Amino acid sequence: MACILLLSTLLLFFQNCEDHSSNIAGTNEDSLNYRKTIALDISSDTKLLLKRLTGILLPEDDEFFIEVNNLVQNNMYEEATQKITERDEFYNITIRDFASKMSVASEVTTAPLSDFVATIIGIARDDINAQKMLTGSFFYKGKKQTGIRENVINDIVKSNNHYDDLDKLSVNLRLSLEKIDNQKVLSNNKMIDLEDAAGVLTSRAFMMAHAYEGTNRRVIEYSMSQFLCRPITEWANGQLSDAFVGRDIGRSPKVEYDSKCKSCHAPMDSFRPATAYFDFTFPNPKLKTGFINYKNKTTRDPNPEKPTQLSIVVAPEEQLVSSKFRRSKSTFEFGFVVKNNQWVNLLIESGKFEWSSAGAQGEGMKAFGTALSESNLFSECMAERAFKSVCKRHPTEGEASVIRAIGEEFRSSNYSLKKLFEIVALTPNCLGIQ
Amino acid sequence: MSRLFFIVFIIFTVSCGEFNANTVGSESSISDGSPGDGGSSVDSGVTESVMKVNTLGVISQRQYLPKVKGCLGLDATSITAAELIEINALTANLSEEGDVKSIAAPTMMVMATLASKICSSLIKQEEKLDSPRFFKGYSFDKSKGQYDVVQTITLLSNSCSDRIVQPDEVELISNKVKEAFKEDSLKSAEEALFVCIAILSSGQFLLN
């Protein structure tokens, strides 16, 4: 009986919500009076800033709250947001969610804590230029602590054990994370410093998400969608040369190839050699122990007829290139052969993505990450993501100029993520704070 | 307990009445009546409304525990490891990103369940204090305390919501407290639990 009562009350509740939703813009007198009442609440801006930047609220007699509220009351909003972004929760909740979404293809905030996520939190906390997110050779890990596995090769390079433990023990990431210079990978079964490190693009988590199996095209596609906020549908271009389209892409029927395949593959495959020396291997997916295989010398590839047999001889100039670049190579034997990590940016001619001249061509992932980070779209994409995080909605088309302005401020702040969130929170379009 | 839940949900219906729906651009958003809402300006065109509207957000999975710990001043030892596991399992049912469109009946059920767990921990913590923060004058040993329920409601609401609680809301909860406990005048601990759950499972607390 109690359950039925409960259920009917719930239904009533949602019925009421529905009714209100259809009253567009809430212009009735009651709501206006209500707003007037609220406007008299001197601490409501403080609470709004606090909850949107950190996800929490504090008792009104809390020392920190009083301090921030005094700043707000004295119209010192910038100082107030700076104070708020010093709190642990800004890093442990807000920045973590911001980073988690970029770490996996599904773009969910529930993605596990990883080297990717920890590195972005660390960059924000230490106020490191966020371009390093795509170019730096470092990563963040938790400080030594009982109950946390931290063997570099077994728990960080070959598995996510270290970060899983940090999460399981609810470690305060803001306090615990420490920067470690030189990213590590396995090359011919030996751990080495990664010479071609590109920030989180060459993190274990990002490579696991996009370089496991496949042809490494996902690495390019998701780098563009996560860090420039441009899905492939926006940069596909049928007018570009297909000189770099791989051997595994069939060219017939020609009409279909020209109208469908070419437009995506032409720009994507021209960037793809950046990933030539990278592969992600899962010797035992059940154990979740997978790792980045870098410049793993391969003299023989699997026989396509009998994949367990390594019988296809690899040409000497291709032996450091991952075998996935030779997969289905007989589909169109005149296609582009990847022999090294030199890439070309065919999109630069379109002028669409505001690339700098350095982004025209390059060698490897670091140069690719540099090209991305130097495009104005990178700063605007970060602005857009921060906007969604703080303002709880996507910017509308009419707000493109607002995002551009925030992106510009982000650039002039030396790409400070902390500053970016502060700017967004005080943008009138976001929380209505004037 | 079921009586308590029933009353809590009645309070939801009142909170829901405070939501003001708005349509901005391609998305449907709901504003929460905070100062930036701008009132009359929302009628004067899309651009103007975008300038003044603060889109409503709801509490997300990762925000729940830090939010209750923060606004209630719960210390690190107030929640046991076993309780933490239970709470984490329950918060997995909340919104991932705080999107208001993710609110559903199960969300409200989970909010009430979580509230009961958190409130028990809060009461345990307050019981040990010489000068409790929220439950001033409550007696937790089956005797009638000397307390002001209106003060408790106001303190809890103002701490855990981003606006000042309105007199009609305080009255609603305090009337329900009187109604529910009129025959059990010695149960001040239960009253404390009732008030706390009512506030932590309200629509206003859900907003973030």
Side-chain angles (χ1 to χ4, degrees):
Chain A
M1 184 61 189
C3 284
I4 296 169
L5 210 60
L6 195 66
L7 201 61
S8 44
T9 317
L10 269 174
L11 288 173
L12 263 174
F13 166 62
F14 288 103
Q15 183 62 51
N16 281 0
C17 284
E18 193 71 24
D19 289 343
H20 278 278
S21 305
S22 56
N23 283 336
I24 307 293
T27 51
N28 63 65
E29 207 171 316
D30 282 351
S31 78
L32 289 182
N33 287 337
Y34 174 72
R35 284 171 179 169
K36 278 179 202 158
T37 317
I38 297 308
L40 296 173
D41 176 11
I42 48 171
S43 61
S44 59
D45 276 358
T46 313
K47 292 190 170 190
L48 195 56
L49 287 169
L50 191 61
K51 74 176 185 178
R52 287 303 175 83
L53 285 170
T54 65
I56 67 156
L57 284 173
L58 293 169
E60 291 176 348
D61 61 353
D62 180 273
E63 211 174 290
F64 180 89
F65 182 84
I66 293 168
E67 203 179 327
V68 174
N69 193 48
N70 284 339
L71 292 170
V72 169
Q73 282 178 295
N74 289 313
N75 247 342
M76 296 165 77
Y77 279 85
E78 278 183 38
E79 290 80 355
T81 51
Q82 281 163 17
K83 190 97 198 132
I84 293 171
T85 53
E86 281 166 16
R87 286 193 68 90
D88 294 347
E89 296 89 352
F90 172 67
Y91 302 93
N92 296 342
I93 301 175
T94 310
I95 295 289
R96 180 173 171 179
D97 282 353
F98 167 83
S100 296
K101 285 186 76 175
M102 292 188 279
S103 71
V104 286
S106 52
E107 289 212 19
V108 289
T109 56
T110 48
L113 181 66
S114 59
D115 53 349
F116 182 110
V117 176
T119 299
I120 293 182
I121 297 173
I123 285 173
R125 182 199 62 186
D126 296 344
D127 219 6
I128 293 172
N129 181 319
Q131 288 179 300
K132 294 275 181 213
M133 202 195 281
L134 306 181
T135 60
S137 178
F138 56 84
F139 65 100
Y140 278 79
K141 62 175 274 297
K143 284 181 187 152
K144 201 175 175 66
Q145 189 183 323
T146 313
I148 293 175
R149 291 167 286 181
E150 61 154 16
N151 179 293
V152 176
I153 186 155
N154 291 327
D155 304 320
I156 295 177
V157 172
K158 282 179 144 183
S159 76
N160 201 47
N161 290 344
H162 175 71
Y163 300 97
D164 289 343
D165 290 349
L166 288 174
D167 206 19
K168 210 180 290 170
L169 295 184
S170 304
V171 169
N172 182 335
L173 299 171
R174 191 217 169 186
L175 298 180
S176 170
L177 290 179
E178 56 185 13
K179 183 171 171 256
I180 307 291
D181 286 328
N182 298 321
Q183 289 185 1
K184 316 281 182 208
V185 283
L186 288 186
S187 178
N188 296 307
N189 285 321
K190 276 173 66 183
M191 188 170 77
I192 57 161
D193 287 349
L194 177 59
E195 61 194 23
D196 188 24
V200 296
L201 294 180
T202 48
S203 64
R204 182 182 178 277
F206 195 75
M207 283 291 171
M208 184 174 86
H210 308 300
Y212 174 53
E213 296 189 329
T215 54
N216 275 4
R217 289 183 175 96
R218 287 195 328 266
V219 176
I220 304 301
E221 184 189 348
Y222 281 93
S223 297
M224 304 280 274
S225 69
Q226 308 291 28
F227 300 102
L228 300 189
C229 295
R230 289 297 181 272
I232 194 165
T233 46
E234 286 191 32
W235 45 280
N237 185 341
Q239 307 303 312
L240 298 173
S241 156
D242 64 354
F244 298 97
V245 177
R247 291 171 290 183
D248 55 336
I249 305 301
R251 270 44 168 196
S252 62
K254 194 172 182 315
V255 178
E256 194 179 321
Y257 169 74
D258 282 344
S259 63
K260 289 182 183 169
C261 316
K262 190 183 145 191
S263 54
C264 290
H265 280 285
M268 185 161 57
D269 286 20
S270 70
F271 279 126
R272 189 170 71 125
T275 68
Y277 302 145
F278 288 85
D279 193 6
F280 193 89
T281 313
F282 256 127
N284 187 348
K286 279 185 190 163
L287 293 176
K288 295 183 184 172
T289 50
F291 51 87
I292 295 173
N293 231 332
Y294 179 72
K295 276 193 177 174
N296 194 48
K297 192 168 181 181
T298 309
T299 51
R300 283 173 192 271
D301 279 340
N303 183 338
E305 308 296 322
K306 293 175 184 168
T308 50
Q309 286 181 3
L310 295 173
S311 56
I312 307 295
V313 177
V314 179
E317 67 271 23
E318 288 185 65
Q319 287 182 354
L320 289 179
V321 174
S322 165
S323 63
K324 59 172 64 175
F325 284 81
R326 295 180 292 275
R327 201 169 283 159
S328 307
K329 65 180 182 183
S330 56
T331 306
F332 183 71
E333 59 181 313
F334 304 110
F336 183 71
V337 181
V338 178
K339 293 178 182 169
N340 52 45
N341 63 353
Q342 288 180 4
W343 54 266
V344 174
N345 180 357
L346 293 183
L347 294 172
I348 206 160
E349 286 166 23
S350 67
K352 208 174 159 186
F353 284 12
E354 304 172 53
W355 303 96
S356 73
S357 55
Q361 57 190 13
E363 276 180 33
M365 287 298 284
K366 192 181 184 69
F368 176 61
T370 304
L372 295 181
S373 72
E374 287 182 356
S375 160
N376 283 351
L377 280 192
F378 169 65
S379 49
E380 286 166 26
C381 179
M382 294 301 107
E384 201 176 313
R385 288 183 177 280
F387 189 95
K388 172 74 175 74
S389 165
V390 180
C391 321
K392 303 291 175 199
R393 65 180 174 86
H394 288 287
T396 63
E397 276 180 31
E399 288 172 317
S401 59
V402 174
I403 295 299
R404 264 197 300 279
I406 297 173
E408 210 173 303
E409 273 197 77
F410 177 46
R411 289 196 292 277
S412 13
S413 73
N414 198 26
Y415 292 85
S416 159
L417 280 178
K418 185 173 175 284
K419 186 77 188 157
L420 172 66
F421 277 77
E422 291 164 10
I423 296 165
V424 167
L426 295 180
T427 299
N429 296 50
C430 183
L431 302 179
I433 294 173
Q434 302 286 341
Chain B
M1 201 62 163
S2 60
R3 178 177 56 172
L4 201 137
F5 272 5
F6 175 67
I7 293 163
V8 162
F9 283 115
I10 290 177
I11 294 164
F12 287 159
T13 62
V14 175
S15 302
C16 187
E18 290 160 4
F19 292 3
N20 298 312
N22 198 357
T23 50
V24 178
S26 57
E27 282 179 299
S28 171
S29 66
I30 303 176
S31 66
D32 66 353
S34 55
D37 269 9
S40 57
S41 63
V42 287
D43 270 348
S44 57
V46 172
T47 313
E48 187 65 12
S49 71
V50 167
M51 286 297 290
K52 304 277 172 73
V53 166
N54 162 31
T55 303
L56 194 76
V58 295
I59 196 163
S60 71
Q61 296 174 11
R62 219 189 299 284
Q63 289 172 343
Y64 186 85
L65 202 54
K67 183 177 175 181
V68 288
K69 276 185 168 178
C71 76
L72 298 175
L74 284 172
D75 61 41
T77 56
S78 57
I79 298 171
T80 65
E83 284 167 343
L84 192 63
I85 292 170
E86 251 186 289
I87 290 168
N88 284 337
L90 284 164
T91 53
N93 296 297
L94 297 178
S95 165
E96 261 186 39
E97 279 189 73
D99 188 337
V100 75
K101 283 178 272 186
S102 63
I103 303 176
T107 316
M108 306 313 291
M109 297 291 283
V110 164
M111 288 293 288
T113 314
L114 280 166
S116 68
K117 294 187 184 305
I118 296 295
C119 290
S120 302
S121 300
L122 175 66
I123 288 167
K124 267 188 270 167
Q125 178 177 300
E126 293 264 302
E127 218 176 333
K128 293 178 202 154
L129 301 174
D130 292 334
S131 174
R133 187 175 224 154
F134 301 105
F135 301 111
K136 292 179 174 56
Y138 278 75
S139 167
F140 298 105
D141 58 359
K142 297 276 177 195
S143 60
K144 181 75 182 161
Q146 287 292 314
Y147 54 89
D148 177 1
V149 73
V150 169
Q151 187 192 32
T152 302
I153 295 167
T154 310
L155 280 171
L156 274 170
S157 303
N158 289 351
S159 272
C160 292
S161 134
D162 66 348
R163 63 171 177 79
I164 287 175
V165 65
Q166 300 300 293
D168 57 337
E169 293 167 316
V170 176
E171 197 187 333
L172 178 81
I173 301 175
S174 61
N175 283 345
K176 292 294 171 193
V177 170
K178 279 180 209 152
E179 203 178 291
F181 295 98
K182 60 186 170 192
E183 289 160 16
D184 304 309
S185 60
L186 297 181
K187 291 190 172 173
S188 72
E190 279 85 345
E191 274 195 46
L193 188 63
F194 182 100
V195 170
C196 178
I197 294 177
I199 289 161
L200 291 200
S201 33
S202 70
Q204 197 58 41
F205 179 77
L206 179 69
L207 304 183
N208 218 33

